Structure formats: structure tokens, C-alpha cells
Amino acid sequence: MKRLSSLFLISLLSGATTLGAYKLFIEGKSNRDSVVTMASGNYAKNVGLTNEMVDFTTAAETTIHTVVHVKNVSVRTVSDPIMEFFYGARGGQQQEQVGTGSGVIISQDGYIVTNNHVIKGATDLEVTLNNNKSYKAKLIGTDSKMDIALLKINADDKLPYSTFADSDQVKVGEWVLAVGNPYNLTSTVTAGIVSAKARNLENNGLQSFIQTDAAVNPGNSGGALVNTRGELIGINTMISSPTGSYTGYSFAIPSNITRKIIEDIMEFGNVQRGILGVEGGELNSKASKELGIKDTEGFYINKVTKNSGAEKAGLQKGDIIKKLDSQKIDTFSELSGYISTKRPNDKVQVTFLRGGETKTVAVTLIKNDIATTEFKGLELENIDAADKKKFKIGYGVRIKEINNDNLKPYYDQLKGNIILSVDNVKATDVETISKFLNKKAENQSVNIQMINGIGQLIQIIL
């Protein structure tokens, strides 16, 4: 009996040892293979890649009903140089061109945001919802610099719409969805991650894109970039590709910039741009070496604009801007991207480095005097005191650029002209004239009085 008890005890201990070893070495290894541990100092975090964490179905289902198909119809005149040469025939043949893109519904009463290049030069705009209902769309306003346009449709019912997220809080590596209509394939959803923020593709710092590796192709322009909750974090705008099709990276205008632009258009009729009042460049090893400083991150102030908020707050040449409010600043596009979300007279807390000491001052943004607006392919800007003196006028807006293909034959005759009135409404400044023009439909003609470079009065119907 005692021998039997001993054998039973030995078997029990052997079984327990085997089970413990299995738990420790086999299951433990399996768990370690499926969990990534990140440690830094005394901090450790387990990251599990479960199906629940990468489930995009709710975000996709929500977003596809808020993304629309935008059809742009434009008419261009094609001339025949041979007929003109031999027979003096003029006028040419009119051809209809159709372009397509995407847009995002941002209110239940039918406001839609898209890219300016999607609707540029349109004589007729049509929007098709995900339920296949189509509506004529009215252009409310545009910002050609940031490539944003605002449309309006009058739908039968209240519409589903996207809600804006805070794009400043978007993190590199975060999962995102791109929703649009590439190649006329409606309600297409692709997934990727945020590859970079504050990306500038024009080397001028004016743009500040969110870069992703979500597949975006022609037709996606103006569509939605959303987070996993289905909130709008950007408007898909362009791709970087030698072929014209997606090859790895796409770019979106951040939602904070987009929201500010459309709010300006709705409230003021044009975009209200504030400026900090500093000039300079971002730091790196080469720039810092040339400047004789140690810091390789931040924005180096090379010049402070006279009478600007920056000058009044005491910023000086040689200061290095490190933060605007709570936003870290390393590049010019980060600085300009954040300022693009602000208006004149807004206050910004600027944290900067001077002589090794960190300081913070409040800077009031001033109005950018080179504000522009666009109507019927004419980009308009305010005139300065020198123009008023030269032409002996007290007001007017200049034709800065001509983007309408139908007006390109008259480029030299129109560019630089100063508009004095539109339909007998004085063109006192860009803001005044844009408010008036935004009440006009794109296909509605207007009577424009202007003077050319030698002061001659010209009247045209556009």
C-alpha cells in the first residue's frame, strides 16, 4: 500500500512538471510570437495585432455614403489655323469635355468639399450620391492655392455627412482609409497608414500634406481620407508617380486646413489668411553649420516683417521657433500649415530659442494683404497704393492670373488689368468683390469695367 502511494505521488509530480514545462516553453513561445513588446527605460507596452484592431468595416460603411461622384462639364473652342489662314474663318468649333472626381458631403443640407482642380473651368457641375441620385451643383467658392472648392446641392432629403477630426492629432503609422471614385469606379475603399505629415511637394512651404500609402488614383481627387472611426482627416488631392497612376504614395490636404478654408468661404466669401510676419528657413545640419549654430531642428528667423505681429511681440532675426501653441515646429511646411488654420487677429503662442534660452510670446497674426479670389477662371488680387497713384483711382482689383482655357487667347490683353466694377458694384477690394461674385452662378454673365496697363477703360461681358 505504501509502495502504491509512492508511485501515485511520483506520477502526479511528473504530470505536473510536464504540464508546467508545456505552459512555460510551448504556450509561452506562442504568445511571445504573437505579441510585440516595446520597452524604453522602465516602460513596456504590449501591442497585439488582433482582427478587431484592424477592422475597417464600420468606417468604410459610414464613409461611402458621404463621398460623392463629381462630374465636370466644360466647353472649349478648338480653332482651325488652316481655315483661318486661307479663309479668314474665326470662332472655331466648340467641344465638350467631361472630367470626373470625388467630393465629400460635410453637412446634411448639401455642402460638399472637393479639389479646385476637379471643378476648374466647369460650365456645368453634376454630383451623384452613393444611392445613384444626381443633382446639379453650384460652385460656392474656391481656394486655388490650397486646391479646395466648396459646392452646394439641393437634395430632397437630409444627407449623410462626414464629421471633421483634428488633423493635428493624426499620428504617423495610424491606419487610414481613402474613399473615392478612381477611374469612375464608385465607392472604392483602400487602406493604408499615415506615412508622413506636413509634407511639402512644391518646395515653397505653402502646402502641408498628409502623406499615406493608401492607394489613390485619378478620380480619387476630392475624396475622403478618414481614420478608423470614419472621421474626416483629409481631402485626397494628388499622387506622386512617374506614370500618373498610384505607385506607393498619395497626399491629402489636412482636415483642419480644409475646414478653415470652407468656413472662410461661407462666412467671408474668400479665404482670410493671417501671417506671422517672419521669413527664414528650416534647420538641418548643413544650414546650422552655415549659420554657426548647434540646433538642427526648428525654424530659423532670418527676417521679421515691419509692423507685423512678430515684430510687435519682440521676435528677432536669429530666433529659432520651436513650437506654435502646442504644435512642434521642425519645418517650414509645419509652420505654414499651422498658420493656415488661423485667421487675421488670432493669437498664437510662439515658443522660440534665443541665445540658448527658451522663451514664449503671444503673437497676433496680421492680415495677408495679397489675398486673392477666383471667378470664371480669373484670379483676382488687391491693388496697392502705387497702382492707385499711377492710374489715379481709389479702388480696384487686379487680374493676377488667367486659368480659364477659353480666355487664354486673350491672356495678354487681360492679365494685369484692373477691374473697377462688376455689374455696377464697385470692386473696392477682393473681399467685397468675391462676396458679390459668389452669389452669381458660374453660367451667369456679368458686366465688367476695367482699365488696362495704359489706363484705357474697357468693358466686357464675361
Side-chain angles (χ1 to χ4, degrees), residues 228-246:
T228 53
R229 296 181 297 278
E231 299 166 332
L232 189 66
I233 64 171
I235 299 297
N236 295 315
T237 299
M238 66 175 67
I239 57 178
S240 179
S241 166
T243 64
S245 298
Y246 175 77

Side-chain angles (χ1 to χ4, degrees), residues 13-173:
L13 290 172
S14 298
T17 303
T18 302
L19 181 60
Y22 176 81
K23 290 283 187 181
L24 179 63
F25 295 105
I26 304 301
E27 287 191 358
K29 182 179 185 301
S30 177
N31 289 336
R32 287 193 297 273
D33 288 341
S34 63
V35 176
V36 180
T37 300
M38 300 187 297
S40 176
N42 296 323
Y43 171 76
K45 180 181 180 182
N46 291 332
V47 182
L49 300 180
T50 65
N51 288 334
E52 184 180 357
M53 291 184 66
V54 292
D55 183 6
F56 303 134
T57 56
T58 301
E61 176 65 21
T62 300
T63 308
I64 59 174
H65 298 295
T66 69
V67 174
V68 301
H69 185 270
V70 179
K71 180 181 175 182
N72 168 357
V73 179
S74 60
V75 178
R76 62 185 293 237
T77 301
V78 180
S79 61
D80 187 336
I82 296 178
M83 292 291 289
E84 289 183 8
F85 180 79
F86 286 104
Y87 303 105
R90 293 191 178 275
Q93 182 180 2
Q94 287 192 330
Q95 291 185 353
E96 186 178 271
Q97 293 183 317
V98 178
T100 60
S102 305
V104 185
I105 305 172
I106 56 170
S107 70
Q108 63 181 9
D109 59 344
Y111 281 98
I112 296 168
V113 63
T114 184
N115 286 141
N116 180 61
H117 75 261
V118 169
I119 55 85
K120 185 177 178 181
T123 54
D124 192 34
L125 290 168
E126 183 180 273
V127 166
T128 302
L129 309 185
N130 192 53
N131 61 10
N132 295 324
K133 289 185 178 181
S134 296
Y135 300 91
K136 294 292 183 183
K138 178 183 178 181
L139 178 62
I140 303 300
T142 65
D143 181 5
S144 57
K145 282 185 170 54
M146 292 297 179
D147 200 15
I148 288 292
L150 183 64
L151 311 179
K152 178 71 166 65
I153 62 173
N154 295 318
D156 305 323
D157 306 304
K158 292 181 179 180
L159 300 174
Y161 61 93
S162 288
T163 57
F164 285 93
D166 182 355
S167 55
D168 288 342
Q169 301 305 313
V170 172
K171 304 296 184 184
V172 173

Side-chain angles (χ1 to χ4, degrees), residues 279-283 291 293 298-302 317-321:
E279 297 178 21
E282 57 195 60
L283 293 176
L291 292 167
I293 58 177
F299 181 84
Y300 181 85
I301 298 177
N302 191 49
K317 178 180 178 179
D319 291 343
I320 302 171
I321 296 177

Side-chain angles (χ1 to χ4, degrees), residues 192-359:
I193 62 168
V194 174
S195 306
K197 293 178 63 179
R199 186 70 81 195
N200 174 37
L201 303 182
E202 299 181 355
N203 297 319
N204 58 14
L206 294 179
Q207 292 284 13
S208 184
F209 293 109
I210 296 174
Q211 178 182 323
T212 80
D213 63 355
V216 169
N217 281 292
N220 269 113
S221 290
L225 185 71
V226 300
N227 58 25
T228 53
R229 296 181 297 278
E231 299 166 332
L232 189 66
I233 64 171
I235 299 297
N236 295 315
T237 299
M238 66 175 67
I239 57 178
S240 179
S241 166
T243 64
S245 298
Y246 175 77
T247 55
Y249 297 111
S250 54
F251 302 88
I253 302 168
S255 59
N256 285 4
I257 294 177
T258 302
R259 179 170 53 188
K260 188 263 180 183
I261 290 171
I262 61 177
E263 286 175 350
D264 279 358
I265 291 173
M266 293 173 71
E267 185 176 350
F268 302 102
N270 67 346
V271 180
Q272 303 287 297
R273 287 193 171 91
I275 59 173
L276 194 63
V278 297
E279 297 178 21
E282 57 195 60
L283 293 176
N284 52 41
S285 294
K286 182 180 178 181
S288 298
K289 185 177 180 180
E290 291 174 353
L291 292 167
I293 58 177
K294 295 181 179 179
D295 286 87
T296 57
E297 293 181 317
F299 181 84
Y300 181 85
I301 298 177
N302 191 49
K303 180 182 177 183
V304 178
T305 305
K306 189 175 181 180
N307 296 324
S308 67
E311 184 189 52
K312 293 175 182 177
L315 290 176
Q316 301 173 6
K317 178 180 178 179
D319 291 343
I320 302 171
I321 296 177
K322 291 291 189 177
K323 287 191 344 183
L324 296 178
D325 293 331
S326 60
Q327 191 76 18
K328 188 172 182 287
I329 300 298
D330 288 329
T331 65
F332 183 31
S333 56
E334 286 177 337
L335 183 145
S336 62
Y338 188 76
I339 294 298
S340 293
T341 66
K342 305 295 181 181
R343 292 191 178 100
N345 298 319
D346 283 351
K347 289 186 183 296
V348 177
Q349 296 294 324
V350 180
T351 300
F352 62 97
L353 197 64
R354 178 186 296 170
E357 185 180 353
T358 300
K359 301 172 179 281

